[in-house]
């Protein structure tokens, strides 16, 4: 709960990278613990993806975070899903799809 509150504070302050790092810590530390529901995990991953793609405009931020989690926890059940997210971002990069800028919408 404290880490979620901290990430929300970072989001409110537009401190995107710190919010992403905190959300990554939540995923890595608690996704397999039973403290997070599947919905919580899904929302956390979506929030990271949105911040990386729309605020930082850099797919590699999310890719690096997920690769680090997988590298440190290869047997984490979430690793297969994170790899699919990485593959999707890499596919976007290969197709030349640039991250969007929320400020232009």
């Amino acid at each position: 709960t404290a880490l979620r509150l901290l990430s929300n504070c970072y989001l409110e302050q537009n401190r995107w990278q710190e919010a992403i790092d905190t959300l990554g810590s939540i995923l890595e530390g608690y996704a397999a613990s039973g403290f997070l529901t599947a919905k919580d995990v899904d929302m956390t991953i979506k929030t990271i993806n949105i911040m990386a793609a729309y605020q930082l405009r850099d797919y590699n931020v999310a890719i690096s975070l997920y690769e680090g989690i997988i590298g440190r926890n290869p047997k984490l059940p979430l690793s297969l899903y994170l790899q699919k997210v990485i593959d999707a971002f890499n596919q976007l990069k290969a197709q030349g799809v640039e991250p969007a800028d929320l400020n232009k919408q």
Side-chain angles (χ1 to χ4, degrees), residues 30-68:
Y30 300 100
S33 70
F35 290 115
L36 296 177
T37 65
K39 183 178 177 181
D40 292 332
V41 171
D42 185 58
M43 187 58 79
T44 302
I45 292 169
K46 286 179 180 177
T47 302
I48 291 168
N49 295 347
I50 290 167
M51 293 303 104
Y54 292 100
Q55 296 299 340
L56 297 177
R57 302 191 70 212
D58 187 354
Y59 299 134
N60 291 323
V61 171
I63 291 170
S64 295
L65 176 74
Y66 300 145
E67 286 176 339

Side-chain angles (χ1 to χ4, degrees), residues 1 5 13 17 23 29 32-34 36 53 56-57 63-64 73-74 81 85 90 94 104:
T1 301
L5 290 173
Q13 297 171 6
Q17 185 62 56
L23 292 170
S33 70
L36 296 177
L56 297 177
R57 302 191 70 212
I63 291 170
S64 295
N73 307 282
Y81 182 68
V85 175
N90 282 328
K104 291 183 181 179

Side-chain angles (χ1 to χ4, degrees), residues 10-36:
Y10 287 142
L11 291 172
E12 285 296 317
Q13 297 171 6
N14 298 337
R15 294 167 64 181
W16 313 121
Q17 185 62 56
E18 289 147 308
I20 289 169
D21 293 341
T22 303
L23 292 170
S25 295
I26 292 170
L27 277 180
E28 188 166 3
Y30 300 100
S33 70
F35 290 115
L36 296 177

